[in-house]
Amino acid sequence: MPGNFGSRRDISRKDFLALGAALAGTSLLPACSAFSMDPESADRSRSGGRAGATTAKGKEAPMLAARVKAGSLPPVAKRLPANPRVIQPLERAGVYGGTWRTVEASTDPSWLWMTVCHDHLISWDPTWRKIIPNVAESYEIRGDGREYVFKLRAGMKWSDGKLFTADDLLFWYEKIYLNKEITPVLPSTLQINGKPLVVEKQDDHTVTFRFPEPNALFLQNLAIHGPPFRLLPRHYLEQFHKDSNPNLGKDWAQTFLEKIDELNNVDLPVLTGWVPKNPHGDGDRQVWERNPYYFKVDPDGSQLPYIDKVVFTFFQEQGPLILQAANGDVDLYMRAEVTTPKNRPVLARGQKNGGYKLVKVKDPTHNTIGICLNLTHEDPNKRRMFQNKDFRIGLSHAINRPQIIDLVFLGQGVPWQTAPRPEVSFYKSDDMGTQYTVYDLKLARQHLEKAGYTRTDARGRRLGADGKPIVVSVLIQSRYPVMIDAMEFVKGTWAKVGVELRIDTASPELVGTRMDANKYDCTLDVGEIGYVDMLTDPRWLFATGGSSYAPLWSRWYEGGTPKEEPPEAMRRQAALYRQKVVGTSDVDTQYAGIKEIIEIARDEFWTMGISRPAESYAIVSDRIHNVPGDNRMWLAFKCPYPAVTNISQYYLEGE
Amino acid sequence: MLTFVLRRVLYMVPTVFLISVVTFAIISLPPGDYLTTLVAQMRAQGVQVDAGQLATLEHRYGLGQPLYVQYLKWISAIGLHLDFGQSFQYNRPVADLLAQRLPLTIVMALTTLVFTWVIAFPVGLYSAVRQYSLGDYLFTTIGFLGLAVPNFLIALVLMYLGYRYFGLSVGGLFSPTFADARWNLGKVVDLLGHLWVPVVVLGTAGTAGLIRILRNNLLDELRKPYVVAARARGIRERKIVVKYPLRIAMNPFVSTIGWILPLLVSGEVIVAQVLSLPTTGPLLLSALLSQDMYLAGSLILIVSVLTVIGTLLSDIALAWLDPRVRLGDR
């Protein structure tokens, strides 16, 4: 070493090249292509869409036509069912090819459920108004929602080319739904009042789902993001099930559950438009490639989807994800945590260079912040206080909503209570949303006094029944910094009427644990379900599972301990829900029922809100077409957009 | 020497065992488990979570059992079959996840190490030999800036500059076109094109530290009488510096080799998180956040074991370098 200090120029150019070649030769094993500078697997580039545009469309994608020619795939006519589902393209018939580039927050598969994973027996139509057949050729509801008859498509095939029949549904019912090892407890949407459903096969293409009592929301519960049961292939799964393969060991159920994980088991045959090529758990990116047996065609009879591949690049942080979008590397993306008002300036600025636009998307969220006082508080004094409607009205009047909207939500939104959005068809009135939203400290004091809290101490703090100053601790999930900012303002104005607000932040898990234990005064929640999804999930109207304002009452409704019977008004709401909404498949009766429930909720004023959020937006590149335009999509879990807008008819063209 | 090494290896057994117990305890300490995380997530997404679903999940993940049973299950599977268990979050074996991410992590860490040394070594040498020269001030100032500015901030700035002025696709270690291509020269070039960002980001802090250490040690040595004596005898300055003072000043380089091993796995968590790199750092972070017990436990265990092994290697190297260490043990 010492002697070599000055000899660093001794390596000659020749030596260097030889060294480089040797290095490359040893490290890059795949023989002849090792020195290639191009991506090894072709067709990942942007050129796919353009190439397709110049050739006639034909009945199937060029990449499949090539495989048919090579003899590795049957002709397209044999792959489609006898009666394929015909999809009307939104603007015009597309061209084949290309890769839909998109991004995903790491490990959260929601965006997959909202796009490539969503093909059930039925589906919402693109306007979120009615349920239409999808995998099923048709369906029929009998006996007020007691019986559901699905007619399947003759000759329809799984992505591996095997037939999809009634036996597959029956397999799910007998071997998964009824198997105690795989389904120890029945999902609440697949039973009614504790009684299981019965599935029967009429013939190879007809299946009946029968509930002992009407369960009119069954179809809506199937149409959600991540449905309670999925369509699974019997022919593939039988080898992993104890009933059909007795050689399996004790842990077979665990293996079976891994085998039906469609995101990670790339061998699992599926019915969706694209099939995964690598497991989701790779955590880096996931590639989905067209399903050669997909059952949809356009009006020309050309098999869908138009797009060859969908590539999801995973991100752990929002920063790179947003930059990637602003850079024009994303064709279509809409997820609430990215497409927030906060990120809008950056994304709007990148539009021209990145070659994309921001399309307005409606948000079914009815409230930025739902304030949930614990109506079943363990301390009797506090419980009486929170349950007093005048006390709640007083607090509501003591919130300066316009100020919070201006300073926390950047001026976007309008003051609103935890009430249905004005767009919902079953409740056309604004009165529930706007009641008690006026900022009026005098009115607030009047209501608090009416509630019986008239005494104040020397420092102007209002005294509770126990003679101590009233303190409300609000438990905020630390992942919502915006809520903490907003509550700082509420704290200031509540103090003016003599109520002290203490802000207590904790991780979502801890908040959940404390809520389950009924150990909190008040908590906050995003008012997510505020559009027609209120029909299937009325948590903001009365205490059901998922509601945050009365744990003991929710448990009374859901089953579970400890529980407590709610007041008469809420019992009436629950009864109405069972009879008129779940108990009948007649839409008019359902709407009348939910309207009554809303009116009770309005009169009782269980929870209060701050503001209705501004609209959201989607990132849509200039080269992806047939995507619905402004205000025609919703950001919803109960109706997964964009999947319901028939993503198989999207196509790529131009840059 | 042999007894010294044997003794150290024996000490490692109870250490690793205790580490595994502590690891598991730490992961289990926070309230709730993977299920509560999942439920909190689902609630936030507007998904109704019912008791039935919860029971199914609990059954599926075997979370109802007492802690010591869970621990024994976990540690015996690792000990007997090198089976690290199943990641709840990814629904895949932990070993798969590790196998996928470790190679790139190691490549990145080693590249960073080489980068750090290549920069720090000559700069440290220069600024010691030419103390208080313009170059010394310049390099040490840059070094201090690198040390003082948080790594993630440098990452963010580099990322923004890349996007704003070069239209680079940011994040990750490959361009989209190469991400799932097979390895070839193009992919290696593509990797190198992306690798420099994290390497520079991670290297800056380490470089500054090493420059200081080398500079100070060397300065100490350069003032010692034997150097003065050598210089008086007319030996060339370059030879004087390289022959003895530099070798002694290099001690910190050698004795910190052991710390490199754990850094291979966990050293770059925040930077990798910010840059969305497919390495083990972000895996560990997300596993901890969602209380993905087996994944987090396995990663922490591996890091700890690597630290223990690294310390052993360091000690052996030191014992070999410095006879006093060996003798003191005898």
Side-chain angles (χ1 to χ4, degrees):
Chain A
M1 164 121 197
N4 283 338
F5 191 73
S7 61
R8 52 179 184 261
R9 267 162 291 151
D10 286 355
I11 299 177
S12 72
R13 204 175 118 82
K14 220 168 82 188
D15 289 341
F16 178 73
L17 284 180
L19 181 73
L23 261 176
T26 46
S27 60
L28 312 170
L29 284 172
C32 55
S33 58
F35 294 100
S36 158
M37 291 294 288
D38 300 319
E40 184 63 15
S41 37
D43 198 24
R44 291 254 187 271
S45 64
R46 296 173 173 210
S47 60
R50 246 186 281 127
T54 52
T55 53
K57 185 172 64 163
K59 293 286 176 209
E60 61 185 329
M63 67 178 280
L64 295 181
R67 281 174 62 190
V68 174
K69 217 167 189 182
S72 62
L73 203 67
V76 63
K78 295 225 165 116
R79 301 199 305 265
L80 285 167
N83 180 13
R85 186 172 167 209
V86 181
I87 303 284
Q88 192 65 45
L90 190 66
E91 289 154 20
R92 55 189 171 272
V95 289
Y96 283 116
T99 299
W100 167 357
R101 302 157 305 157
T102 188
V103 283
E104 193 194 297
S106 174
T107 72
D108 174 13
S110 289
W111 182 234
L112 295 170
W113 289 109
M114 290 159 77
T115 52
V116 290
C117 283
H118 192 76
D119 258 310
H120 219 287
L121 289 169
I122 44 85
S123 167
W124 283 104
D125 76 323
T127 60
W128 199 357
R129 293 225 175 85
K130 58 178 193 290
I131 298 269
I132 52 173
N134 185 44
V135 167
E137 191 176 278
S138 63
Y139 68 86
E140 201 185 323
I141 307 173
R142 292 180 190 154
D144 253 0
R146 251 185 213 90
E147 239 179 76
Y148 295 82
V149 185
F150 296 100
K151 187 126 183 66
L152 306 178
R153 295 170 198 273
M156 177 156 167
K157 295 179 181 73
W158 291 98
S159 55
D160 63 350
K162 296 285 189 326
L163 276 178
F164 164 72
T165 64
D167 286 335
D168 291 307
L169 286 173
L170 220 62
F171 175 76
W172 167 80
Y173 174 66
E174 288 168 354
K175 307 296 179 193
I176 297 176
Y177 179 80
L178 293 181
N179 186 295
K180 281 276 165 277
E181 269 181 275
I182 296 174
T183 316
V185 184
L186 301 179
S188 65
T189 44
L190 295 179
Q191 51 159 317
I192 189 86
N193 298 335
K195 286 168 244 167
L197 96 137
V198 177
V199 177
E200 274 164 16
K201 168 180 167 182
Q202 311 301 328
D203 58 55
D204 269 359
H205 301 109
T206 317
V207 182
T208 310
F209 284 63
R210 187 178 298 118
F211 290 95
E213 287 167 41
N215 182 13
L217 298 176
F218 175 58
L219 294 185
Q220 295 201 22
N221 281 326
L222 282 193
I224 62 171
H225 159 286
F229 89 86
R230 305 202 327 264
L231 303 170
L232 294 167
R234 171 183 207 131
H235 66 274
Y236 171 78
L237 289 171
E238 264 178 345
Q239 54 182 315
F240 305 108
H241 201 286
K242 190 89 180 167
D243 289 0
S244 37
N245 186 354
N247 304 328
L248 295 170
K250 223 179 100 220
D251 288 338
W252 72 272
Q254 181 58 39
T255 320
F256 187 85
L257 288 166
E258 278 162 35
K259 291 293 175 193
I260 63 171
D261 179 355
E262 65 185 317
L263 301 183
N264 279 307
N265 180 10
V266 293
D267 297 328
L268 180 75
V270 291
L271 297 172
T272 47
W274 293 272
V275 296
K277 296 313 258 183
N278 64 317
H280 184 253
D282 277 1
D284 189 3
R285 50 196 256 127
Q286 190 175 27
V287 180
W288 291 64
E289 200 175 86
R290 63 164 65 253
N291 170 1
Y293 294 92
Y294 198 48
F295 64 101
K296 295 179 187 173
V297 294
D298 70 5
D300 303 338
S302 302
Q303 191 190 24
L304 295 173
Y306 289 131
I307 296 175
D308 279 344
K309 285 189 181 114
V310 189
V311 173
F312 296 83
T313 308
F314 296 177
F315 284 96
Q316 284 105 20
E317 285 284 299
Q318 270 190 30
L321 196 152
I322 290 159
L323 283 185
Q324 182 125 18
N327 217 12
D329 292 333
V330 173
D331 287 316
L332 173 61
Y333 188 72
M334 52 183 238
R335 288 277 283 121
E337 61 266 46
V338 174
T339 54
T340 57
K342 187 181 77 184
N343 295 334
R344 196 170 200 144
V346 178
L347 290 168
R349 213 180 305 133
Q351 283 187 89
K352 212 165 139 236
N353 283 338
Y356 62 92
K357 53 193 172 295
L358 302 181
V359 167
K360 288 179 191 160
V361 174
K362 295 200 143 201
D363 189 343
T365 300
H366 61 72
N367 223 296
T368 47
I369 304 174
I371 301 176
C372 305
L373 291 166
N374 181 1
L375 301 180
T376 57
H377 202 289
E378 53 178 5
D379 170 8
N381 280 326
K382 283 209 161 161
R383 168 187 295 225
R384 212 174 311 123
M385 183 163 73
F386 294 157
Q387 286 193 9
N388 189 317
K389 187 182 161 192
D390 274 308
F391 181 77
R392 298 197 297 268
I393 295 174
L395 291 185
S396 179
H397 277 306
I399 298 174
N400 190 346
R401 292 182 175 82
Q403 184 192 31
I404 295 174
I405 292 171
D406 274 352
L407 296 174
V408 180
F409 298 110
L410 312 170
Q412 303 181 57
V414 288
W416 199 249
Q417 297 290 13
T418 49
R421 291 185 65 90
E423 294 96 338
V424 294
S425 44
F426 41 77
Y427 188 68
K428 281 292 180 197
S429 168
D430 268 2
D431 56 356
M432 182 174 179
T434 53
Q435 66 178 349
Y436 319 126
T437 53
V438 184
Y439 176 56
D440 186 338
L441 294 179
K442 210 174 132 212
L443 211 56
R445 284 191 198 101
Q446 277 171 13
H447 277 285
L448 292 178
E449 273 154 28
K450 200 173 152 200
Y453 301 98
T454 49
R455 292 184 300 150
T456 52
D457 68 1
R459 287 163 57 195
R461 293 180 299 182
R462 209 165 284 279
L463 300 180
D466 52 1
K468 287 189 203 136
I470 298 175
V471 175
V472 178
S473 291
V474 58
L475 190 59
I476 308 180
Q477 302 183 24
S478 50
R479 60 181 163 164
Y480 298 132
V482 173
M483 290 190 175
I484 302 167
D485 295 346
M487 288 325 270
E488 288 292 345
F489 290 105
V490 175
K491 182 178 180 167
T493 51
W494 279 11
K496 289 183 184 168
V497 296
V499 175
E500 187 186 338
L501 179 70
R502 281 196 194 142
I503 294 174
D504 186 3
T505 55
S507 71
E509 296 80 39
L510 196 58
V511 171
T513 316
R514 279 176 61 180
M515 276 165 53
D516 287 341
N518 197 21
K519 294 213 180 297
Y520 68 104
D521 285 356
C522 175
T523 189
L524 307 178
D525 237 323
V526 178
E528 237 135 4
I529 297 144
Y531 188 53
V532 292
D533 38 8
M534 280 193 142
L535 208 63
T536 46
D537 191 343
R539 62 172 79 171
W540 287 96
L541 303 174
F542 64 97
T544 65
S547 63
S548 307
Y549 45 93
L552 298 184
W553 296 347
S554 340
R555 253 175 249 142
W556 173 83
Y557 181 80
E558 287 286 314
T561 47
K563 63 182 169 190
E564 190 183 289
E565 196 179 54
E568 192 273 333
M570 196 175 277
R571 292 205 305 271
R572 195 146 37 94
Q573 285 179 309
L576 277 169
Y577 190 69
R578 285 213 171 100
Q579 283 158 22
K580 293 198 173 170
V581 181
V582 185
T584 169
S585 55
D586 176 51
V587 176
D588 292 336
T589 319
Q590 282 183 339
Y591 282 11
I594 197 86
K595 184 161 186 265
E596 267 183 80
I597 294 171
I598 292 171
E599 276 160 359
I600 298 172
R602 175 197 63 202
D603 295 341
E604 296 296 330
F605 191 53
W606 305 121
T607 55
M608 62 186 92
I610 300 284
S611 65
R612 208 167 69 218
E615 74 207 349
S616 192
Y617 53 91
I619 298 159
V620 181
S621 78
D622 296 341
R623 66 186 202 114
I624 192 163
H625 304 279
N626 283 348
V627 179
D630 283 345
N631 291 327
R632 289 169 67 188
M633 292 195 279
W634 289 83
L635 207 64
F637 289 101
K638 300 285 173 184
C639 175
Y641 281 92
V644 293
T645 67
N646 296 317
I647 50 172
S648 58
Q649 49 96 37
Y650 291 1
Y651 73 98
L652 298 164
E653 198 175 31
E655 285 296 302
Chain B
M1 182 75 182
L2 195 67
T3 45
F4 169 75
V5 173
L6 269 179
R7 194 127 137 216
R8 289 299 320 262
V9 172
L10 276 180
Y11 284 154
M12 280 167 65
V13 176
T15 314
V16 169
F17 169 74
L18 281 177
I19 287 173
S20 76
V21 174
V22 172
T23 303
F24 206 79
I26 288 174
I27 297 167
S28 325
L29 266 185
D33 47 32
Y34 175 70
L35 271 191
T36 43
T37 314
L38 192 71
V39 170
Q41 255 174 30
M42 286 161 86
R43 271 197 190 133
Q45 293 172 352
V47 180
Q48 222 161 347
V49 192
D50 56 62
Q53 228 171 330
L54 275 184
T56 312
L57 288 168
E58 193 163 306
H59 170 84
R60 176 162 170 191
Y61 293 128
L63 288 171
Q65 294 153 317
L67 262 187
Y68 69 91
V69 176
Q70 291 189 30
Y71 170 76
L72 282 178
K73 230 168 114 181
W74 175 66
I75 200 70
S76 58
I78 294 179
L80 300 177
H81 316 286
L82 270 182
D83 170 11
F84 288 94
Q86 187 85 4
S87 159
F88 305 143
Q89 199 185 356
Y90 293 86
N91 202 13
R92 293 182 78 193
V94 169
D96 279 12
L97 292 168
L98 292 179
Q100 196 191 10
R101 284 172 177 246
L102 267 177
L104 271 180
T105 313
I106 291 171
V107 165
M108 204 178 75
L110 288 180
T111 318
T112 309
L113 185 75
V114 170
F115 170 84
T116 311
W117 283 14
V118 163
I119 304 271
F121 199 72
V123 170
L125 187 63
Y126 175 86
S127 57
V129 176
R130 302 256 184 283
Q131 196 187 7
Y132 304 136
S133 68
L134 186 69
D136 178 25
Y137 283 125
L138 187 73
F139 287 132
T140 40
T141 307
I142 295 175
F144 271 124
L145 280 181
L147 193 65
V149 180
N151 282 349
F152 74 92
L153 197 65
I154 303 180
L156 284 175
V157 170
L158 274 182
M159 224 161 53
Y160 179 73
L161 292 180
Y163 151 71
R164 189 79 180 74
Y165 298 105
F166 304 106
L168 270 178
S169 97
V170 282
L173 283 178
F174 299 101
S175 349
T177 39
F178 280 102
D180 31 33
R182 249 175 278 137
W183 280 100
N184 63 14
L185 194 58
K187 189 164 180 176
V188 171
V189 171
D190 187 65
L191 173 66
L192 292 178
H194 284 83
L195 198 61
W196 69 269
V197 179
V199 165
V200 167
V201 171
L202 291 169
T204 43
T207 309
L210 277 182
I211 289 176
R212 294 310 287 177
I213 293 173
L214 189 68
R215 181 174 180 273
N216 292 353
N217 280 359
L218 202 52
L219 280 175
D220 279 354
E221 289 302 314
L222 284 176
R223 295 198 187 105
K224 287 197 172 156
Y226 74 91
V227 179
V228 179
R231 198 172 284 143
R233 283 195 189 117
I235 301 174
R236 276 188 307 135
E237 188 65 22
R238 176 172 284 174
K239 194 166 177 188
I240 297 175
V241 173
V242 169
K243 191 96 184 175
Y244 294 106
L246 184 61
R247 279 170 69 183
I248 293 169
M250 272 182 60
N251 258 3
F253 281 77
V254 178
S255 56
T256 52
I257 285 177
W259 303 345
I260 294 161
L261 288 177
L263 282 179
L264 289 180
V265 179
S266 69
E268 28 63 280
V269 179
I270 298 179
V271 171
Q273 182 80 11
V274 169
L275 291 172
S276 283
L277 303 180
T279 53
T280 43
L283 199 65
L284 176 61
L285 186 65
S286 75
L288 286 173
L289 283 178
S290 59
Q291 300 193 20
D292 191 349
M293 233 172 171
Y294 295 123
L295 181 54
S298 306
L299 278 167
I300 295 181
L301 186 70
I302 289 173
V303 173
S304 313
V305 169
L306 285 178
T307 315
V308 172
I309 294 176
T311 316
L312 174 76
L313 290 181
S314 270
D315 283 358
I316 293 175
L318 271 182
W320 173 70
L321 263 179
D322 191 341
R324 284 168 299 179
V325 177
R326 266 174 285 164
L327 294 173
D329 194 63
R330 199 167 277 163

